[in-house]
Amino acid sequence: MNNCPTILVIDDEVQIRKLLEISLEANSYKVLFAVDGKEGITLAASHLPDLILLDLGLPDMNGQEVLLKLREWYQHPIIILSVKNAESEIVQALDNGANDYMTKPFRTQELLARIRTALRRNLT
């Protein structure tokens, strides 16, 4: 991991992307954005980010599908950010390979702490 970790945000909501861009860049992260699953998978493959923030409600694919496709080869942390808060959805995402799960709306400082934790664990 370099001095400025790269985070890929896969989310189709403009407001969420803007909030994450401001929050992450203010905390010295480089941020890449994808608005759907296919673009997210492509960007993950071409840039190999240090961490992915993945929304489950994407316009082109189910986020669980995207998660499974990423986990075929992507070894870095994936944190789910989703409005879906049913226990079954959370359990499925964790079983499919997510490292963490936060429901929207989320607390920014808590998300940043979870990102730091995931990146720290990934170093060991």
Side-chain angles (χ1 to χ4, degrees):
M1 188 171 70
N2 57 25
N3 292 341
C4 185
T6 300
I7 296 178
L8 170 59
V9 176
I10 305 173
D11 196 310
D12 63 322
E13 291 179 59
V14 175
Q15 302 90 336
I16 295 289
R17 289 198 312 269
K18 195 68 188 160
L19 170 67
L20 290 171
E21 179 180 26
I22 292 166
S23 303
L24 295 171
E25 288 181 353
N27 284 273
S28 301
Y29 295 108
K30 180 181 176 196
V31 189
L32 303 171
F33 294 99
V35 297
D36 61 38
K38 286 182 183 165
E39 184 184 14
I41 292 166
T42 301
L43 277 176
S46 61
H47 290 83
L48 200 62
D50 298 292
L51 182 140
I52 294 174
L53 296 176
L54 173 63
D55 181 21
L56 294 181
L58 298 170
D60 64 335
M61 304 172 71
N62 179 308
Q64 297 280 4
E65 252 182 84
V66 176
L67 177 58
L68 286 169
K69 287 188 183 302
L70 286 168
R71 279 301 180 220
E72 290 174 8
W73 55 272
Y74 182 80
Q75 299 300 315
H76 297 287
I78 299 174
I79 298 175
I80 303 297
L81 284 180
S82 180
V83 295
K84 298 179 180 183
N85 61 1
E87 183 181 19
S88 59
E89 194 78 41
I90 296 168
V91 169
Q92 182 183 5
L94 294 170
D95 285 345
N96 284 343
N99 296 79
D100 205 347
Y101 194 112
M102 288 187 73
T103 54
K104 296 176 186 175
F106 54 87
R107 294 182 296 254
T108 306
Q109 291 304 312
E110 181 182 353
L111 174 62
L112 291 167
R114 289 174 186 243
I115 288 170
R116 288 191 299 272
T117 299
L119 291 172
R120 225 179 8 253
R121 282 190 191 136
N122 200 47
L123 290 175
T124 58

